[in-house]
Amino acid sequence: MKYTLKILLVTIVSVALYACSTKKDTVINRNYHVLTTKYNILFNGEEAFEEGLQGIADGFKDDWFEQLPIEPITFDDRKIVAPSFKNSGPGAGFGNSQTATDAQKPATPFDRAEEKAVKAIQKHAMNIDGLERNRQIDDAYLLLGKARYYTQRFVPAVEAFNYVIANYPNASLIAETKIWRAKANIRMDNEQFAIETLKLLLEVRDSLESNLPDKIKEQGHTALAMAYQKADSLQKVKKHLQLAIRTQKNKEQTARNMFILGQMYAKENKKDSAALVFQKLISFKKAPYKYKIHANIALASTIANNDSISETYVASLQKLIKKRENRPYLNKLYYQLANLYEKQDSISLAIATYNKSLRAKNTEEKQQVLTFEKLGNIYFKNSDYMLASSYYDSVVKTSTDSLNLRVRKVKRKHKNLASLIKYEKLVAKNDSILKIAAMPKEAQKEYFEDFIATLKKKDAEAAQLRLNQIAFAGNTNSLQSINKGKWYFYNIKSLGFGKTEFQKIWGKRQLADDWRWSFQAKLSKTTKDSAIVAQKNERYNLESYLASIPTSAKKIDTLIQDRNKGLFELGLIYKTQFNNKKLAIDRLESVLKFASSKELILPANWHLYEIYKELNNKEKAAIYKNVILTEYPTTVFAQIIKNPEKKITDAKEETATEKLYKDIYYLYKKENYSEVIDRVINILPFVKNSKLVPKLQLIKAYAIGKSDTKENYKKSLEFVAVNYPTTAQGKQALIILKKLDN
């Protein structure tokens, strides 16, 4: 019996050792290595590869405001690793190109997948007489190439794919391998080679009626779309995306391809085609939900202004907003709904809905920036420049991408509004002070008493709100553990916290009427608390307000002059920068109402004359024209009106222009570029015949170059070069243009 067992054991070991050999071409050897490769090493390698893919899917964040990438992965274009050929097996360049330092790092799932693929090839390859007898080795090479692809080692990846194509031409996965090789070549900027090989695979084989599986066709057309996108052949990108979405085998990639196709149509303003694609994606039952919800949002954006079916889309978005599963997308849903309201001219609804988008949870930075910009544009269009400026300021502060073209445009708009806001605040402030200064003493006293009473009421409400927040928000955990005493003053812990916070703000107070007044305050715990209380109580001091009212004629006259100059500057800004003739007329007519000096009256009449002439209001234009001709007949304005075509040379005017140029030059040196541009625009109409005009135009171009886009800088330089070619400034502009073009 023992002898029989020994024989059996020796036989089993001998068979096992015989089967382990990769040099013998027998049924036992082949099947042993096939099974060991497939269900042991390759299985673990495929598992690691799938883990790596899942990690990419979880880590990649789509930017739905831009066109999605066809393949959801980001590679560093500057990093392409070449192989180091330390071959211990046939043909694929097994030498790992990673350095010793890299080898010490924790292995990624793709590194593990590559390791398993290499192990399968090294231990189980059966290359006998030039033929591979283990039918799983081509799978191992494909896995090896794919793992290298995802670790951005495209050159060794192509090496592995080429080995499969050269040595296994009849393998079942040969088509898939060719597609992966094409993708690796696309990543290495060899898109033309990728296009040629993929067309050979897809088009030639189709013409020979040797049809590929639908899955492979999908992958092939998707890869071709990637290649044509790299080559900027957008029409062919769309063609192959359409071919890729026919069979819908890979639900994730199909949904992505549909969404990208819709985005491309929308970008080309083919709204009907875009709507059809987005509607098809919404109807695609197997599509991941993130694509469906964004397709709904994108579909609503394809609606034209005043479209008769816009109400249907409004109702659709409102329905989506109510669904609980759409909470992560509320910011985008509200934003798109507000867009539709804006298109319908329901401006108040649009503003309210944009604000809901801002308040929604998980609002992304780009979404916030777009919403702030939309609100700013609405208020800007309605001439509410103060509010528009505040929203543009939010855009600038919120955005971290300072190079974004939209953000840069908003920055310029915000800068242009800065001087307008400054003068509007100056005019409002001086007007208020002058009105109060003109009141009788009793009226002044009554005015500030009402103001202080309102202030006290607001402070009391704010203090109560803060106490409530401390009691019910700041100590949520403590309050939840105490179920008794629902009312604030029955809750001992809440009362203790409130008392401490109250003393921090107000100090120790006696129980008495008007407890906020400074004489009720006892010594606070710290000097800092005392300073806070003193500062707060100063706001309630009637005498300090009355004492601040200007009484001297000199101070009042300064306030009047500053206000009048502010009104004049506002008139110019509204006229030249914002083309808001209504507000320009209002401010300039206010100058004539209040001002008494020629320095403001004369140019105000001139600007009003120009505005009404542009509006074709001859009657109004004649009024201001007659004022200039009758009261200021010797000025340059009168000469321009009398002889619009005649060249006017006036030494005094030329000297004044030189002084203006010097002022502008100093502003340029101080880097006040927006003010330089404004000043030049404002004075050019009055110095049309001055020798300094080319200089003014060139310094304006320089200022645009410092604060605007390169395109606008070149346009400004071209204007100087074309209009003043014989001047030093025209020649200098031409030199700079040549340098910019090189």
Side-chain angles (χ1 to χ4, degrees):
M1 183 67 181
K2 288 182 181 180
Y3 182 73
T4 306
L5 287 173
K6 284 181 182 180
I7 292 173
L8 183 61
L9 182 62
V10 169
T11 305
I12 292 169
V13 171
S14 300
V15 170
L17 290 171
Y18 181 80
C20 286
S21 174
T22 59
K23 302 300 180 183
K24 297 183 184 296
D25 185 16
T26 65
V27 174
I28 294 174
N29 289 70
R30 288 198 300 270
N31 287 332
Y32 170 79
H33 286 290
V34 165
L35 291 171
T36 306
T37 305
K38 183 175 182 179
Y39 294 108
N40 185 8
I41 302 175
L42 271 190
F43 175 81
N44 292 324
E46 292 286 356
E47 287 291 302
F49 183 77
E50 290 298 325
E51 183 188 339
L53 289 182
Q54 189 60 48
I56 289 174
D58 294 340
F60 187 82
K61 190 174 182 181
D62 282 307
D63 184 353
W64 299 94
F65 301 98
E66 304 292 338
Q67 185 172 312
L68 300 186
I70 295 173
E71 187 177 33
I73 189 171
T74 303
F75 288 121
D76 184 353
D77 293 335
R78 297 165 296 179
K79 178 187 172 188
I80 296 179
V81 183
S84 58
F85 295 96
K86 298 176 184 176
N87 292 326
S88 57
F94 295 131
N96 198 329
S97 60
Q98 293 172 311
T99 63
T101 306
D102 291 331
Q104 294 168 6
K105 296 178 182 177
T108 66
F110 294 118
D111 291 327
R112 294 200 303 273
E114 180 177 356
E115 182 187 344
K116 295 296 182 184
V118 170
K119 185 178 178 181
I121 294 165
Q122 289 175 340
K123 291 193 173 184
H124 299 285
M126 296 180 66
N127 196 315
I128 301 170
D129 297 329
L131 292 175
E132 179 56 60
R133 308 297 178 174
N134 185 347
R135 60 181 180 273
Q136 290 296 313
I137 296 301
D138 54 346
D139 295 79
Y141 275 109
L142 178 59
L143 176 62
L144 176 64
K146 291 195 292 185
R148 288 173 174 177
Y149 176 88
Y150 281 111
T151 53
Q152 202 171 343
R153 294 159 55 230
F154 305 122
V155 176
V158 169
E159 183 79 13
F161 297 137
N162 280 337
Y163 186 79
V164 177
I165 293 165
N167 293 280
Y168 305 95
N170 299 316
S172 60
L173 47 70
I174 193 72
E176 185 180 355
T177 306
K178 288 179 179 179
I179 291 167
W180 276 98
R181 182 181 66 172
K183 286 172 66 176
N185 277 288
I186 293 166
R187 295 297 181 181
M188 294 190 294
D189 296 328
N190 294 333
E191 60 271 10
Q192 289 304 325
F193 176 76
I195 289 167
E196 289 171 12
T197 55
L198 286 170
K199 286 173 73 174
L200 194 66
L201 172 69
L202 295 170
E203 296 178 8
V204 173
R205 289 193 63 166
D206 280 348
S207 66
L208 294 173
E209 298 183 355
S210 178
N211 292 326
L212 296 167
D214 289 341
K215 178 184 174 182
I216 297 300
K217 285 184 178 180
E218 268 187 33
Q219 291 178 7
H221 286 298
T222 301
L224 256 176
M226 285 173 60
Y228 280 120
Q229 189 176 55
K230 196 78 176 281
D232 290 327
S233 301
L234 299 183
Q235 295 305 315
K236 290 184 178 179
V237 175
K238 290 188 293 184
K239 172 190 170 183
H240 287 284
L241 286 176
Q242 287 169 336
L243 291 170
I245 64 177
R246 290 177 302 175
T247 47
Q248 302 175 358
K249 291 292 181 182
N250 184 334
K251 60 182 181 180
E252 175 78 28
Q253 191 62 54
T254 299
R256 177 171 284 270
N257 289 346
M258 283 182 180
F259 193 83
I260 294 167
L261 185 60
Q263 285 182 311
M264 292 182 76
Y265 281 129
K267 197 172 183 179
E268 293 174 351
N269 207 30
K270 296 178 179 178
K271 295 190 174 182
D272 291 340
S273 299
L276 285 171
V277 176
F278 289 133
Q279 192 62 63
K280 187 177 180 181
L281 175 53
I282 294 165
S283 304
F284 180 27
K285 292 181 180 179
K286 294 181 180 179
Y289 191 70
K290 63 179 180 179
Y291 293 107
K292 286 191 171 190
I293 190 68
H294 283 101
N296 274 286
I297 294 166
L299 180 63
S301 69
T302 62
I303 305 304
N305 292 351
N306 301 318
D307 198 306
S308 58
I309 61 169
S310 63
E311 283 298 330
T312 306
Y313 287 95
V314 168
S316 175
L317 287 175
Q318 288 172 337
K319 189 177 178 181
L320 289 170
I321 286 167
K322 290 177 182 176
K323 289 185 177 180
R324 187 181 183 86
E325 62 266 29
N326 291 333
R327 286 183 181 180
Y329 309 104
L330 280 179
N331 52 352
K332 293 172 184 174
L333 289 166
Y334 277 129
Y335 176 83
Q336 196 54 59
L337 181 59
N339 261 330
L340 290 179
Y341 285 141
E342 193 177 349
K343 286 178 182 177
Q344 294 174 343
D345 289 329
S346 303
I347 302 302
S348 58
L349 269 174
I351 290 170
T353 312
Y354 279 131
N355 280 308
K356 285 181 180 178
S357 174
L358 289 173
R359 291 193 296 269
K361 290 182 179 179
N362 303 321
T363 302
E364 303 157 349
E365 177 200 302
K366 191 172 274 191
Q367 182 70 69
Q368 283 185 318
V369 168
L370 286 170
T371 310
F372 281 132
E373 186 186 353
K374 280 282 190 181
L375 285 164
N377 290 342
I378 288 173
Y379 286 115
F380 188 91
K381 189 178 178 181
N382 292 337
S383 302
D384 194 340
Y385 299 112
M386 298 281 278
L387 263 174
S389 178
S390 67
Y391 280 109
Y392 291 147
D393 184 55
S394 297
V395 170
V396 174
K397 287 179 178 176
T398 304
S399 177
T400 54
D401 186 3
S402 58
L403 298 177
N404 184 278
L405 184 60
R406 292 173 66 97
V407 176
R408 282 160 57 199
K409 284 181 179 178
V410 170
K411 277 185 179 178
R412 289 197 296 275
K413 231 173 184 181
H414 185 245
K415 281 183 180 178
N416 291 338
L417 282 169
S419 55
L420 181 144
I421 301 301
K422 180 182 78 174
Y423 287 120
E424 284 286 9
K425 286 181 177 178
L426 174 71
V427 169
K429 178 185 173 184
N430 286 15
D431 255 343
S432 299
I433 294 170
L434 290 168
K435 283 177 184 177
I436 294 168
M439 291 179 182
K441 291 289 181 185
E442 286 300 318
Q444 289 175 352
K445 186 179 178 183
E446 186 179 339
Y447 174 85
F448 282 115
E449 283 174 348
D450 291 342
F451 175 76
I452 290 167
T454 305
L455 202 60
K456 286 179 180 180
K457 185 180 177 183
K458 287 181 180 177
D459 284 347
E461 289 171 355
Q464 185 61 50
L465 178 62
R466 190 168 178 183
L467 290 172
N468 290 343
Q469 287 172 340
I470 292 162
F472 298 109
N475 303 286
T476 308
N477 293 334
S478 301
L479 295 178
Q480 283 176 348
S481 63
I482 304 169
N483 295 322
K484 294 182 179 179
K486 297 289 183 182
W487 190 41
Y488 177 84
F489 291 100
Y490 287 166
N491 191 319
I492 303 301
K493 285 196 174 183
S494 300
L495 193 60
F497 286 121
K499 183 178 179 182
T500 304
E501 188 64 20
F502 179 88
Q503 288 180 351
K504 280 184 183 178
I505 300 168
W506 300 99
K508 292 184 179 179
R509 298 281 168 139
Q510 292 181 347
L511 181 60
D513 293 335
D514 296 326
W515 55 269
R516 297 181 196 85
W517 287 74
S518 57
F519 63 80
Q520 295 285 2
K522 291 186 178 181
L523 185 64
S524 297
K525 288 183 180 180
T526 64
T527 308
K528 186 179 177 181
D529 293 339
S530 300
I532 293 169
V533 174
Q535 184 183 2
K536 200 171 274 289
N537 290 320
E538 186 66 23
R539 299 165 72 227
Y540 307 146
N541 192 337
L542 177 62
E543 295 304 321
S544 67
Y545 288 111
L546 294 173
S548 66
I549 300 170
T551 53
S552 70
K554 187 178 179 181
K555 283 186 178 178
I556 290 172
D557 189 51
T558 303
L559 287 168
I560 291 170
Q561 286 180 20
D562 289 345
R563 179 200 59 190
N564 294 344
K565 285 179 184 176
L567 285 167
F568 178 74
E569 291 292 340
L570 285 169
L572 289 185
I573 291 169
Y574 285 127
K575 178 193 172 190
T576 58
Q577 287 187 32
F578 300 114
N579 197 30
N580 192 324
K581 293 179 173 61
K582 182 181 177 183
L583 286 175
I585 289 169
D586 178 75
R587 301 302 187 267
L588 291 169
E589 286 183 344
S590 296
V591 172
L592 297 180
K593 180 181 176 183
F594 296 121
S596 57
S597 62
K598 173 188 171 182
E599 287 76 11
L600 291 178
I601 292 173
L602 175 58
N605 275 285
W606 168 259
H607 286 296
L608 285 165
Y609 161 68
E610 281 202 319
I611 292 168
Y612 280 117
K613 194 166 71 168
E614 286 178 23
L615 292 171
N616 205 25
N617 190 333
K618 295 178 181 178
E619 187 180 343
K620 280 280 189 180
I623 294 171
Y624 298 106
K625 175 183 172 181
N626 291 333
V627 171
I628 295 168
L629 293 175
T630 54
E631 296 184 24
Y632 309 98
T634 59
T635 61
V636 68
F637 298 109
Q639 292 179 57
I640 293 170
I641 291 171
K642 290 174 185 176
N643 306 292
E645 302 300 324
K646 186 179 177 182
K647 289 187 177 182
I648 299 167
T649 55
D650 189 326
K652 288 183 180 179
E653 294 292 343
E654 193 68 20
T655 305
T657 307
E658 287 176 4
K659 186 178 180 302
L660 284 169
Y661 177 77
K662 285 180 183 178
D663 292 341
I664 290 168
Y665 181 77
Y666 288 132
L667 284 171
Y668 179 81
K669 283 291 186 183
K670 290 179 181 177
E671 299 183 0
N672 294 333
Y673 303 123
S674 59
E675 199 168 344
V676 168
I677 296 165
D678 295 342
R679 287 282 187 94
V680 173
I681 290 169
N682 290 338
I683 69 167
L684 279 175
F686 313 121
V687 293
K688 290 177 182 177
N689 303 309
S690 172
K691 295 176 183 178
L692 292 170
V693 169
K695 280 190 173 184
L696 289 166
Q697 291 284 14
L698 186 60
I699 201 168
K700 185 183 87 171
Y702 286 158
I704 289 170
K706 294 287 187 181
S707 61
D708 211 326
T709 61
K710 184 179 178 181
E711 186 183 349
N712 288 337
Y713 181 36
K714 288 176 73 174
K715 284 180 182 177
S716 304
L717 289 170
E718 284 168 2
F719 178 85
V720 179
V722 170
N723 287 280
Y724 313 104
T726 58
T727 64
Q729 290 74 33
K731 292 172 183 176
Q732 180 64 25
L734 195 60
I735 291 168
I736 298 169
L737 278 169
K738 287 179 181 176
K739 287 181 179 178
L740 289 172
D741 289 333
N742 290 337

